[in-house]
Amino acid sequence: MSMNRRSLIGAAGLALTTPALHGAQAAEASKPAAKPAPPPVTKILAQWILGSSYDSLPENVRREGVRSFLNWVGVAIGGSHHETVDVAVSALQPFSGPPQAGLFGRTERFDIMNAAFLNGVASHIFDFDDTHLKTIIHPAGPVASAILAYASMKPVSGKDFLDALVVGIEAECRIGNSVYPNHYDAGWHITGTCGPFGAAAAVGKLMGLTEQQMVYALGLAASQPVGLRESFGSMNKSFNPGRAAANGLFAAILAAKGYTSSDGMIEAKRGWANTISTKQDWSEITDGLGTRYESLLNTYKPFACGIVMHPTIDAAIQIRDEDHVKPEDIKRVDLKVHPLVLELTGKTAPKTGLEGKFSIYHAAAVAFVEGAGGEKQFSDRAVNDPQVVALRQKVLPVVTPGIDAAQVDMTVTLNDGRTFHRFIEHAIGSVEKPMSDAQLEAKFTDLASGVLPDAQTKRVMQLCWSLPELKDAGEVMRAGVQGA
């Protein structure tokens, strides 16, 4: 039977397309199953933020909120006259708006956006601020800097302030949990990327935003992540929490006037979490809201450097003081460490105090030489001390399987052949071995020394401890400026 031209073309087309069709079907079948649609994370979080109140916070959460605030104020005062802050104040002062808010430890006043930024910078420059160990977020900086700037312009009660602080810390840490460690490993400075959420949540709470406005505020915060880990060891690192504070404040103020955003900026396919991380665990944000508090996992640093160096400093001070080891008698210091230690603090020859904060070699050496790890041990003077420089060349860290980032295994060998050993499972300042209230006060006093008179320092500390009783939380800032 003859075949007409149309039938011939059709048959040929079928012959050509059938294998391609099967191939397409096979490729489709081999694709991984589509991810289930995420819950409305942004909206769920907004609802919880607005539903929280001081009275609904457990007593231990309130207490830790006060400790976080006290620690933050102390480090902000201590860092207020660092060169980094001097440079930032000089650069921004000609462009500042009305003098709405003060700066801890200084006399200048700025508009609230710049004040939030500058206090955030000051509080992080020593790398001495609080740390949420699950994510390595420094929670108080972005949140406290933003809400204290706002409270300087519009008075809020101490109870409302504390509730906002806790809510902000909870928001930023839960969001951080959902993407850590993948997000951090990619190179993001997680305090700068999650901090805007905390600041926006806290300021928005104080402003009395509606649920839709809070969704917008979180969405606008999502559009402003800031900070890369390449900045560590430079002034740029402290820029990140400062900018996060200002960004969150900016987001809340815009949202209050109806500036819109997507309703799913955290969880959407092209939203914050999917864009900046290969991991998204929505349950970390939504589960246990109001019953599980991340602020209870906040820790306070006894040493003015990256948290991964704390076990080494702790071990060195113990061997120095308890075994009476003198630095000049040391032949070598062997350290078994987690890979993150060398990744974050592998600078072998730091030249400045800031670089010293990212040198495990310097941290070990200065702890043996000076028996401490405070800000004075991470100064330009200490980093270039000949005895410290000589000893850090004898520090030999080795990445070792089985060692956690919060641990160190240290063996010190002396010139006479004797050895001393310490294994630190939990360093002082950790959740397991927290700093006491008295230790926090001693840290505060040391940081404020030379910035504020002793009587003024005590006054500011007392205001921090009594935060829930204050009628106006802005009183803390007014008491903490120079000449108050």
Side-chain angles (χ1 to χ4, degrees), residues 364-406:
V366 79
F368 277 112
V369 172
E370 301 190 8
E375 184 51 34
K376 294 179 179 67
Q377 283 69 52
F378 292 93
S379 61
D380 292 353
R381 185 272 313 163
V383 164
N384 293 289
D385 180 277
Q387 190 176 22
V388 174
V389 172
L391 183 54
R392 77 184 180 213
Q393 296 171 7
K394 302 175 183 180
V395 177
L396 305 170
V398 175
V399 171
T400 306
I403 298 291
D404 187 78

Side-chain angles (χ1 to χ4, degrees), residues 251-415:
I253 290 173
L254 283 173
K257 292 294 186 181
Y259 199 103
T260 69
S261 179
S262 162
D263 287 351
M265 280 290 283
I266 296 175
E267 73 276 10
K269 181 179 179 180
R270 295 177 179 84
W272 184 87
N274 281 303
T275 300
I276 64 174
S277 177
T278 55
K279 173 199 170 189
Q280 302 84 27
D281 185 347
W282 311 122
S283 66
E284 285 284 3
I285 302 177
T286 60
D287 286 3
L289 280 167
T291 58
R292 171 176 62 82
Y293 284 88
E294 294 300 314
S295 57
L296 295 178
L297 302 178
N298 207 10
T299 64
Y300 313 101
K301 293 182 177 184
F303 309 125
C305 59
I307 200 80
V308 295
M309 298 201 297
H310 287 206
T312 293
I313 297 172
D314 196 352
I317 292 174
Q318 286 187 31
I319 292 174
R320 177 188 189 272
D321 294 346
E322 296 171 12
D323 299 319
H324 310 292
V325 168
K326 297 179 180 178
E328 59 267 26
D329 295 333
I330 295 175
K331 181 179 181 180
R332 59 187 288 153
V333 179
D334 290 290
L335 304 176
K336 296 179 181 179
V337 300
H338 185 273
L340 199 59
V341 175
L342 289 181
E343 181 183 339
L344 293 177
T345 63
K347 293 183 182 295
T348 57
K351 302 298 184 184
T352 66
L354 271 180
E355 289 182 345
K357 292 175 183 291
F358 300 92
S359 171
I360 190 68
Y361 306 91
H362 172 73
V366 79
F368 277 112
V369 172
E370 301 190 8
E375 184 51 34
K376 294 179 179 67
Q377 283 69 52
F378 292 93
S379 61
D380 292 353
R381 185 272 313 163
V383 164
N384 293 289
D385 180 277
Q387 190 176 22
V388 174
V389 172
L391 183 54
R392 77 184 180 213
Q393 296 171 7
K394 302 175 183 180
V395 177
L396 305 170
V398 175
V399 171
T400 306
I403 298 291
D404 187 78
Q407 301 172 338
V408 74
D409 192 313
M410 175 184 287
T411 300
V412 177
T413 304
L414 303 189
N415 294 321

Side-chain angles (χ1 to χ4, degrees), residues 189-207:
H189 185 191
I190 196 167
T191 300
T193 57
C194 295
F197 291 110
V203 174
K205 175 78 171 172
L206 292 178
M207 296 182 77

Side-chain angles (χ1 to χ4, degrees), residues 86-280:
D86 290 340
V87 169
V89 167
S90 176
L92 295 175
Q93 203 164 29
F95 308 101
S96 179
Q100 298 165 323
L103 306 179
F104 279 119
R106 303 183 69 101
T107 58
E108 298 93 345
R109 291 178 63 81
F110 282 80
D111 62 87
I112 62 171
M113 293 294 181
N114 281 308
F117 169 74
L118 290 164
N119 279 318
V121 169
S123 71
H124 192 64
I125 192 60
F126 285 166
D127 229 314
F128 217 176
D129 43 349
D130 56 344
T131 306
H132 177 255
L133 293 179
K134 282 174 65 177
T135 57
I136 324 182
I137 290 173
H138 303 286
V143 181
S145 302
I147 56 177
L148 199 55
Y150 178 79
S152 297
M153 184 183 72
K154 186 173 181 179
V156 298
S157 73
K159 288 183 178 180
D160 288 344
F161 185 95
L162 182 57
D163 178 40
L165 178 67
V166 170
V167 160
I169 287 174
E170 195 69 18
E172 66 180 326
C173 289
R174 281 176 171 266
I175 292 170
N177 287 344
S178 73
V179 296
Y180 186 85
N182 305 39
H183 168 65
Y184 188 78
D185 290 345
W188 290 99
H189 185 191
I190 196 167
T191 300
T193 57
C194 295
F197 291 110
V203 174
K205 175 78 171 172
L206 292 178
M207 296 182 77
L209 299 188
T210 66
E211 180 183 316
Q212 184 61 69
Q213 288 169 339
M214 183 61 77
V215 168
Y216 291 158
L218 294 174
L220 293 167
S223 291
Q224 302 178 88
V226 60
L228 303 172
R229 284 167 54 195
E230 176 62 24
S231 68
F232 290 10
S234 72
M235 292 180 181
N236 193 167
K237 185 172 190 282
S238 59
F239 172 93
N240 301 334
R243 194 67 243 167
N247 286 353
L249 177 60
F250 194 70
I253 290 173
L254 283 173
K257 292 294 186 181
Y259 199 103
T260 69
S261 179
S262 162
D263 287 351
M265 280 290 283
I266 296 175
E267 73 276 10
K269 181 179 179 180
R270 295 177 179 84
W272 184 87
N274 281 303
T275 300
I276 64 174
S277 177
T278 55
K279 173 199 170 189
Q280 302 84 27

